[in-house]
Amino acid sequence: MMRSVLVLCCLVAGCWAGTQPIRTVRYDGDRVFRCNSSMLIHEQLAEIFQHPAADMWAERADGSFDVRTITQQNGRELEELLFKTPACHMTISNVEDYISSMEAAASSVESPEEWFDEYHTYEEIYTWYESLARDNTQTVRFVPSIGESGEGRRQPAVHIAGESSSNSSRHRIYFQCQIHAREWISGATCMYIVDYLVTNYEIDPRVRELLDTVEFVVVPFTNPDGYAYTWNGDRLWRKNRRTNSGSTCRGVDQNRNYDSHWNEGGSSSNPCSETYHGPAAASEPETINTQTYFVENHPIVGAIDWHSYSQLILRPWGYTNTNSPDEARLSSLGSTMRSLILNVHGMQYTSQKSIGLYPTSGTASDWFYDTKANEGNTYRAAGYTIELRDTGRYGFILPPAQI
């Protein structure tokens, strides 16, 4: 059942893009480079990754990575380094021009006729889930808040289950969305899956069988403050909006803040870093809220933390090369999802261990699978990170044509 549940989610997961945010941050002079890590020595990689002007956009299974150079943080110095090495080439010459052109293209489209014809704000998405539950009381239950964010925004949850499923015996699938603020397709995909399950329950026997057997638990906003800020401030903001003591730099990378091997590699103690892990494990209210709700909703058999971009299906572990106790099963399930996505959408995804991409610790998907999250359970939840479309042509700014 766990296999069929996660596979169905991959089949229905769609990618869409849309309207223009009202941002106050500009990216004049910022550039994006693509580099081949196999052509760089360790010292060169360290110099790039640790440079204060480096904003890592994506890393791929083939060893290539995308990095944005931030002009306001001595980006020219980093650009000189990247221009000098044959391992790197520029893909975007001016990020401001690139994003402005994408925004202009989106705003030139006539008023969308369907909900999934554009992106939506925090307030709009909250209301959409609330209305969906009100209109589908037999299959949807809306939880107004599992806790508040650092800036006081509610983190809602949504439960989807069939009419004949039993509360006491049903297994659950857990999704959390929008942990990295700029990855708008993450939240859009979660909405698409929820909408598909609810609207097809009465007409698709596969969906009915699924929802009569398991319950989906969805947390639409893992990082509500960061997401809101991408609409009214910085479209490329990644972290939450924590005020860091002793630093002018704001935010914690919530996907390095979970209480699973926190600060054991692949994160930073520098508050200015995009992978700043915070002052302690689960220091962020948003992390505490999602960890608590996850445990409260056992038995959970599978969990996905939705991200973009690079088209990857990542399984534990991220902090060590040692195989997880269920490596064979997790690998097999990941390969099945990859094959079905290819057959249905024609999109090539890569399934691999998280650490095969790069070391990480304190991540949500490792925590889903770790013993701390599954105490008292007869089995661990199968934890995955899924990096959605695309592979870098549009990155975080998918155009309407990708809908």
Side-chain angles (χ1 to χ4, degrees):
M1 177 52 67
M2 179 179 69
R3 178 182 296 272
S4 62
V5 168
L6 296 181
V7 165
L8 177 62
C9 293
C10 288
L11 295 181
V12 302
C15 295
W16 52 281
T19 55
Q20 173 181 354
I22 304 172
R23 59 184 172 90
T24 59
V25 175
R26 294 178 60 88
Y27 316 103
D28 298 285
D30 291 7
R31 292 170 169 152
V32 176
F33 290 79
R34 181 165 299 174
C35 301
N36 186 340
S37 61
S38 65
M39 298 174 61
L40 296 166
I41 62 174
H42 177 75
E43 288 76 14
Q44 289 175 309
L45 286 169
E47 186 175 3
I48 294 171
F49 290 170
Q50 296 172 12
H51 197 286
D55 175 17
M56 299 304 301
W57 276 21
E59 297 187 49
R60 300 176 186 79
D62 64 3
S64 64
F65 62 87
D66 294 348
V67 57
R68 167 186 160 216
T69 60
I70 305 175
T71 302
Q72 294 183 351
Q73 297 184 24
N74 200 18
R76 293 293 176 253
E77 177 183 275
L78 177 58
E79 287 175 9
E80 290 180 7
L81 170 64
L82 298 176
F83 274 126
K84 285 179 181 178
T85 173
C88 303
H89 67 278
M90 185 172 62
T91 57
I92 300 176
S93 60
N94 190 310
V95 174
E96 175 61 32
D97 290 346
Y98 173 73
I99 291 184
S100 293
S101 67
M102 300 302 293
E103 290 172 343
S107 64
S108 66
V109 178
E110 295 182 1
S111 298
E113 297 181 359
E114 302 293 337
W115 175 261
F116 292 106
D117 286 345
E118 63 177 347
Y119 285 121
H120 296 276
T121 65
Y122 165 84
E123 292 81 9
E124 290 170 340
I125 294 171
Y126 189 99
T127 301
W128 182 85
Y129 277 110
E130 194 173 34
S131 299
L132 185 73
R134 185 175 59 249
D135 296 339
N136 298 273
T137 56
Q138 292 181 316
T139 52
V140 184
R141 178 167 64 91
F142 181 74
V143 179
S145 181
I146 64 171
E148 292 188 348
S149 67
E151 293 182 343
R153 290 182 177 85
R154 291 178 291 180
Q155 288 182 271
V158 183
H159 294 243
I160 308 101
E163 301 170 18
S164 62
S165 55
S166 169
N167 283 325
S168 60
S169 62
R170 71 169 65 124
H171 289 159
R172 294 182 173 91
I173 298 293
Y174 178 90
F175 288 170
Q176 64 177 38
C177 328
Q178 214 66 64
I179 193 171
H180 286 152
R182 61 193 177 187
E183 298 168 9
W184 285 10
I185 192 60
S186 162
T189 296
C190 289
M191 281 192 291
Y192 190 94
I193 293 173
V194 168
D195 181 72
Y196 183 92
L197 293 174
V198 173
T199 58
N200 284 278
Y201 177 72
E202 298 290 349
I203 59 178
D204 188 333
R206 296 177 308 161
V207 174
R208 174 175 284 276
E209 180 184 6
L210 180 64
L211 291 184
D212 283 349
T213 308
V214 300
E215 177 181 4
F216 283 80
V217 181
V218 181
V219 177
F221 297 106
T222 312
N223 178 10
D225 297 342
Y227 182 69
Y229 185 57
T230 62
W231 279 85
N232 58 30
D234 185 348
R235 174 62 182 86
L236 296 177
W237 188 260
R238 169 184 167 100
K239 301 184 287 184
N240 71 1
R241 295 293 293 161
R242 176 191 180 95
T243 299
N244 293 310
S245 177
S247 175
T248 58
C249 298
R250 295 190 64 169
V252 167
D253 182 354
Q254 290 176 226
N255 203 36
R256 301 295 186 275
N257 188 241
Y258 278 77
D259 192 11
S260 174
H261 300 276
W262 179 81
N263 190 23
E264 292 187 20
S267 64
S268 175
S269 59
N270 180 359
C272 296
S273 170
E274 294 289 357
T275 58
Y276 174 50
H277 50 52
S283 60
E284 306 310 291
E286 302 92 341
T287 308
I288 295 171
N289 295 340
T290 52
Q291 285 190 173
T292 301
Y293 204 67
F294 184 92
V295 172
E296 289 175 350
N297 279 279
H298 279 316
I300 292 175
V301 296
I304 296 176
D305 189 30
W306 295 91
H307 289 254
S308 75
Y309 60 95
S310 284
Q311 297 179 194
L312 298 168
I313 301 167
L314 303 175
R315 63 184 183 272
W317 300 106
Y319 76 97
T320 178
N321 282 301
T322 302
N323 285 341
S324 72
D326 299 291
E327 165 60 18
R329 289 185 178 183
L330 294 173
S331 175
S332 176
L333 178 55
S335 296
T336 300
M337 289 192 285
R338 177 191 60 78
S339 296
L340 288 170
I341 291 172
L342 178 63
N343 292 340
V344 173
H345 294 295
M347 294 289 107
Q348 186 70 253
Y349 276 63
T350 298
S351 174
Q352 65 180 70
K353 291 196 296 184
S354 293
I355 198 168
L357 190 65
Y358 49 80
T360 57
S361 60
T363 63
S365 57
D366 271 9
W367 189 83
F368 295 154
Y369 178 74
D370 209 347
T371 54
K372 288 184 179 180
N374 295 281
E375 292 178 357
N377 239 10
T378 55
Y379 39 73
R380 299 170 184 249
Y384 288 90
T385 294
I386 292 187
E387 297 275 1
L388 295 160
R389 299 181 190 180
D390 58 4
T391 57
R393 181 180 180 185
Y394 300 110
F396 303 120
I397 317 294
L398 289 172
Q402 286 286 336
I403 296 171

